[in-house]
Amino acid sequence: MFFSAIATSSAVVVANPSSDEVVVITGTRTERSLLDVPVRTEVVTQEQIANMHARDLEEALKNVPGLNLVPIHGKSGSEIHIQGIDGNRVLVLVDGMPVSASTGSKVDVTQIGVSNIKQIEIVKGAVSALYGSEAMGGVVNVITKPPKQERDLRLTIDGGTYGDHDVSDALVNDSSYNVFAHQKVGQGYFQFSADHRVKGGSDLDPSTYVFECDEGTKTNLSLVAGYEFDNGGRIKLIPSWYREDISKDYEEFSPGVGHLYRVKEEVATRANVSLHYTGPVAEWGYFTGYYIHESFEDDTNKDIKSTAEIEDPRSAKIQSNKADAQLDIDVLDNHLLTIGTVAYEASLQQRINGKSELDKEKVERDNIEFYLQDAILLTDELEILPGFRYQRDSDFGSHFTPKFNLMYQPEVLAGYDFKVRAGVGKGYKVPTLKERYFVFDHSAIGYMILGRPDLQPESSTSYQLGFDMSLSEKVRIDVNFFQNRLENLITTDRDALLSERLALDVFRYTNKAKARTQGFDSSLALNVSDNFTSNISYGYLEAVDRSTGKTLSRRPEHQVKLKLNYTLPDWRTTFTLFGRYESESYADGDNKIKSEAFTLFDFKVNTWVTDNIKLFGGVDNLTHVVRDTPATGSDFRPAKGRFIYAGFTYQY
C-alpha cells in the first residue's frame, strides 16, 4: 500500500549520505526519500554542518543556493531571504514547530544553535498546503536528532580571532561550545543539548568609538524526555531556553545637538515547552500532533554615554500557544491523504520607560486553520499532490489557498534518474501585531514609526518548475525556475502631512507595494574522484516593485556559490574551500544608490586524530573583504573581516 511504501522508504542518514539515502519530511510532512519527494526540497546534512564548523543556523545555511542571509535592520542577527522574498515572509521551524520572530518581526537565525541538528530542509515558494501564512517565501525546517542509538555524546569547542579588528583584549575573541548527549533507558530516552557562543565583537576601524559587530553571549539549552511504544508510537516532552546578552557602541547625530555616543544593550530570552506524539492508527493511518507554549522577552537600553541616566529603556513580550494535529490516511494502493488542523493564539506587549508603545496595553490575535493534501500515484511515472489550506483569523476572517505539485519521472530516462517537479500555490499572510499596533517613538533623533490597525493581509502566487538528473555516476545537475507575484505588500511609507505638523519624519506601515521576483537556481555536483568532489551553483534573480518598475533593494541579481572538497584518506584529513559571489545591488527604492559586488572565500580543515577525536580549523573571509568605514548604511559588504580559528570535537 502507498502509505506502507513511504514508511519503509525511510533510511538512517549515514556518515557520508548519498541523495537517495537522505529522508526528508518538510514538503509533504511524511517521510520520503529526497530523490522521490514531489515537493522540491533542499537539504543541509549533519555532516555538512560539522565540516563547515557552523556555530549557528546562519552559518549552516550560508552556502545553500538561492538563499541570502541579511542583517536585520536595527537588531543583532540575520534573517533569511528566499527567491528575493524577505525574512518576514519565510517560515522557520524546528521539528515542524514555528520559531518566534524577534519583537514580532523576523526570525533571527543566529539565535538557533546546531548541537542537536540532524539536518536542515528548505522548501522554496508558497507551494505546500501544509504551512500557514508566514510561508509565502518558503519554509526552513530544522530537524533534530532522532533516538536511533543506545547512547551518544558529542562535544565541540572552538575559538578564534579577527586580529587587529578584535574589540576584546582576550587572546581568543570569539568562541563556541556545544554539547549533545543521548541515552536510552529501556523504551525511554533522554537528550540534552547546549550551545554557548561568546562574541568579543569586531571593529573595522579601531581608531573610532563605533564598532560594527556586537559583543556578548548567546546560549541555547534543550532537554528531551521521550518514550517509544511497542506499536512504534513515540511521545516526547521538550523544554528549551535561549538567552542573548549583547551590546554595541554606536553613534547617532541629533539635529541641534550634534554627535551622540551611545551603547546599545540588549537581553533577549525565549522559553518554551512542547509536547509531541507520533504513531500509527490501526493499519490505515498515522497520527502526528504537538502543542507548544512559548514566551519571548526582549529588553533594550540605548544609553547616551555623556549622561547619568539610561535613555529609552524598552521591553517587548510575545506569548504564544499553538497546537497542530495531522492524520495521514492510506487510501487504496495509490493515495496518501493528509488532513490536519492548527490552532494558534499570540499576544504582544511593548513598553518604553514603563509606558506602552502600542495603541493599547496588550494586543492579541488568534486563528484556526485546516489543511488537506492528497498524494496520488497516477502511474509509475507520475505523482500529483493537490491540496489546500483554509484559515480563519480572529481579525481578518476566512481565506482559502489552493496548492498543486507534481513529479514526473519518464521511464525512457530512468537511466539518468531524471525527474521534473512543478508546483503552484497561493500564499496569504495577515499583518503582524507589530505592524498594526507598534509605536516606535524616536522623535529625539528625528523620526517615528507608527503601526496601522487597518492594514490588510498580503497575498502571493508562486510558480516553481525544476528538473534534476544524473549525467553519470559522477555528475548531477539541478535547475529550478521560479516566479513569485506578491500583492498588497506591507511597507513603511512617509506620512508627509503628519511629518510637517510634528516637524520630524513620521513613517507608517501601509499596504502599498506589488512585487515580482523571478529567476532560476542551478547547481552542478561533480565527483572528480573518490577523494575530490565539487559543487557549483548559480542563481539569477529579478526582483521588481511592480508599482514603480524599480528593482527591490538588497536583492543581488547574480549569485554564485562554490564548494571544493579534497580528502587525504591516509591522513584522515579533508580540506574544503567555500566561495560566494554576490553582484551589486541597490540600497534604495529609487535605484540611485548601489552597494558593490563582492566575493568571499572560507577555508576549512578537518582531521580525525582517532575514531573519537577530530581537530579542525579554518579561515573565514580569507581575503578580508569588508565594507567601507565609516559605514553609510548603503554598503552591504561584510561587517566582519578575516577570522582565524581552531577547535576540536570529541564524540563517543
Side-chain angles (χ1 to χ4, degrees):
M1 297 175 73
F2 187 33
F3 179 77
S4 301
I6 291 176
T8 56
S9 72
S10 302
V12 177
V13 178
V14 295
N16 295 289
S18 62
S19 295
D20 58 348
E21 293 172 327
V22 176
V23 175
V24 296
I25 192 171
T26 303
T28 62
R29 285 177 69 164
T30 53
E31 291 187 343
R32 301 288 297 268
S33 166
L34 176 61
L35 293 183
D36 293 325
V37 65
V39 179
R40 184 174 184 269
T41 306
E42 297 172 69
V43 174
V44 181
T45 66
Q46 176 185 345
E47 182 196 28
Q48 291 169 335
I49 293 170
N51 286 346
M52 72 176 73
H53 315 147
R55 301 166 185 88
D56 53 41
L57 185 59
E58 177 193 29
E59 295 187 3
L61 290 172
K62 65 183 180 181
N63 296 300
V64 175
L67 261 64
N68 285 71
L69 283 304
V70 176
I72 299 174
H73 178 69
K75 301 290 293 181
S76 168
S78 298
E79 62 176 286
I80 305 170
H81 284 201
I82 296 181
Q83 295 182 345
I85 299 176
D86 68 19
N88 204 27
R89 300 164 181 89
V90 173
L91 182 60
V92 180
L93 308 169
V94 174
D95 287 331
M97 297 182 301
V99 178
S100 62
S102 300
T103 63
S105 181
K106 303 171 182 180
V107 173
D108 175 6
V109 289
T110 69
Q111 294 180 351
I112 302 173
V114 298
S115 60
N116 64 340
I117 293 180
K118 175 198 170 203
Q119 64 192 41
I120 306 164
E121 301 175 6
I122 302 104
V123 173
K124 298 175 180 176
V127 295
S128 177
L130 305 180
Y131 301 100
S133 63
E134 288 80 11
M136 288 175 64
V139 179
V140 175
N141 193 8
V142 175
I143 309 299
T144 61
K145 296 177 183 178
K148 295 293 185 182
Q149 297 173 282
E150 187 69 25
R151 63 176 59 88
D152 188 12
L153 175 64
R154 188 179 184 94
L155 170 68
T156 298
I157 299 174
D158 68 65
T161 177
Y162 294 97
D164 294 339
H165 301 284
D166 287 346
V167 171
S168 72
D169 295 326
L171 179 63
V172 175
N173 188 75
D174 283 16
S175 57
S176 173
Y177 311 83
N178 71 65
V179 61
F180 174 80
H182 168 82
Q183 177 66 55
K184 277 193 173 184
V185 181
Q187 290 179 267
Y189 64 94
F190 295 92
Q191 291 179 343
F192 173 75
S193 59
D195 293 82
H196 181 65
R197 285 145 284 162
V198 180
K199 304 172 63 178
S202 64
D203 189 358
L204 297 180
D205 186 357
S207 66
T208 65
Y209 172 78
V210 177
F211 61 86
E212 283 72 24
C213 297
D214 303 312
E215 59 181 346
T217 61
K218 298 190 175 189
T219 304
N220 295 82
L221 300 174
S222 177
L223 178 66
V224 180
Y227 184 84
E228 297 180 285
F229 298 95
D230 292 336
N231 68 348
R234 182 182 301 158
I235 190 169
K236 56 184 179 180
L237 178 68
I238 309 175
S240 64
W241 181 81
Y242 169 80
R243 177 184 171 92
E244 70 178 26
D245 188 348
I246 56 177
S247 65
K248 183 171 71 172
D249 293 344
Y250 70 106
E251 180 180 306
E252 286 182 342
F253 180 78
S254 179
V257 177
H259 291 277
L260 299 175
Y261 296 101
R262 289 179 170 244
V263 58
K264 178 183 177 181
E265 299 172 333
E266 182 169 11
V267 176
T269 58
R270 176 189 290 112
N272 66 44
V273 60
S274 60
L275 181 66
H276 304 239
Y277 176 78
T278 60
V281 179
E283 296 181 354
W284 49 266
Y286 201 84
F287 176 81
T288 303
Y290 71 78
Y291 166 78
I292 179 171
H293 170 76
E294 181 167 283
S295 177
F296 180 85
E297 298 187 29
D298 186 77
D299 297 310
T300 61
N301 293 318
K302 296 182 177 181
D303 185 23
I304 300 175
K305 302 292 284 186
S306 60
T307 63
E309 68 276 7
I310 295 177
E311 290 79 18
D312 296 338
R314 176 175 281 107
S315 65
K317 184 175 183 179
I318 303 171
Q319 288 190 307
S320 62
N321 293 280
K322 187 171 186 178
D324 191 321
Q326 174 182 314
L327 186 61
D328 301 302
I329 304 172
D330 198 358
V331 181
L332 303 176
D333 292 330
N334 66 334
H335 286 255
L336 179 62
L337 187 65
T338 297
I339 303 172
T341 185
V342 181
Y344 174 77
E345 63 176 10
S347 65
L348 169 66
Q349 294 175 288
Q350 183 88 18
R351 292 174 169 272
I352 181 169
N353 293 311
K355 181 181 178 181
S356 178
E357 282 191 288
L358 308 175
D359 287 347
K360 56 184 75 174
E361 181 64 24
K362 180 169 71 172
V363 291
E364 300 173 301
R365 63 173 286 254
D366 62 77
N367 67 17
I368 187 165
E369 303 177 37
F370 174 80
Y371 57 88
L372 184 145
Q373 174 182 274
D374 192 7
I376 308 170
L377 286 173
L378 292 180
T379 70
D380 291 339
E381 297 180 330
L382 179 63
E383 179 179 351
I384 63 173
L385 196 70
F388 71 85
R389 193 174 189 96
Y390 168 82
Q391 175 175 331
R392 189 183 188 286
D393 190 271
S394 59
D395 295 334
F396 296 97
S398 301
H399 195 80
F400 178 86
T401 51
K403 321 274 185 173
F404 183 83
N405 291 269
L406 67 81
M407 180 175 67
Y408 177 60
Q409 35 191 346
E411 181 64 29
V412 68
L413 295 175
Y416 295 98
D417 197 21
F418 179 84
K419 295 180 178 67
V420 176
R421 294 178 177 85
V424 59
K426 289 286 188 179
Y428 177 76
K429 180 179 180 299
V430 300
T432 66
L433 293 175
K434 175 182 176 181
E435 290 165 339
R436 294 170 63 198
Y437 298 107
F438 189 67
V439 178
F440 187 75
D441 187 357
H442 230 345
S443 53
I445 55 172
Y447 74 95
M448 180 186 294
I449 302 175
L450 304 177
R452 186 184 293 271
D454 60 351
L455 286 173
Q456 296 302 304
E458 303 172 326
S459 62
S460 70
T461 305
S462 178
Y463 303 93
Q464 309 284 325
L465 174 63
F467 71 88
D468 58 269
M469 64 184 299
S470 296
L471 299 180
S472 69
E473 292 184 356
K474 295 185 176 182
V475 181
R476 187 167 185 88
I477 61 173
D478 184 320
V479 180
N480 185 67
F481 298 89
F482 62 87
Q483 184 185 82
N484 301 286
R485 298 179 67 86
L486 301 100
E487 308 285 343
N488 228 21
L489 286 185
I490 296 171
T491 63
T492 53
D493 195 23
R494 188 174 183 271
D495 187 322
L497 292 178
L498 194 56
S499 295
E500 182 178 354
R501 181 163 64 86
L502 298 179
L504 52 86
D505 286 325
V506 179
F507 298 88
R508 287 185 180 273
Y509 287 104
T510 182
N511 292 105
K512 182 179 180 181
K514 297 181 179 181
R516 181 186 67 247
T517 71
Q518 61 186 16
F520 67 89
D521 299 323
S522 60
S523 64
L524 170 66
L526 178 61
N527 297 329
V528 179
S529 67
D530 291 341
N531 300 331
F532 182 36
T533 61
S534 63
N535 187 289
I536 185 169
S537 68
Y538 167 71
Y540 170 77
L541 173 66
E542 178 188 276
V544 178
D545 183 333
R546 291 160 46 217
S547 304
T548 63
K550 303 291 187 179
T551 298
L552 297 177
S553 63
R554 202 151 197 166
R555 270 74 170 182
E557 187 176 14
H558 306 285
Q559 183 187 85
V560 179
K561 295 186 178 182
L562 171 71
K563 176 184 176 182
L564 302 176
N565 200 74
Y566 185 72
T567 301
L568 296 174
D570 293 341
W571 291 8
R572 305 180 70 182
T573 299
T574 300
F575 303 93
T576 307
L577 179 68
F578 293 98
R580 300 189 302 282
Y581 166 80
E582 286 188 13
S583 63
E584 61 185 11
S585 59
Y586 287 107
D588 65 324
D590 293 330
N591 292 179
K592 296 180 179 179
I593 305 172
K594 282 187 176 181
S595 177
E596 293 184 26
F598 62 89
T599 303
L600 301 178
F601 292 99
D602 298 336
F603 179 68
K604 316 284 183 177
V605 180
N606 294 276
T607 299
W608 286 98
V609 180
T610 70
D611 290 342
N612 305 105
I613 298 175
K614 180 179 78 171
L615 302 180
F616 63 86
V619 184
D620 290 343
N621 196 352
L622 187 65
T623 54
H624 190 67
V625 176
V626 295
R627 66 191 188 187
D628 291 335
T629 55
T632 62
S634 60
D635 189 344
F636 302 147
R637 289 174 294 177
K640 295 180 181 179
R642 184 184 298 111
F643 180 64
I644 303 172
Y645 66 92
F648 76 91
T649 294
Y650 172 79
Q651 67 178 28
Y652 172 75

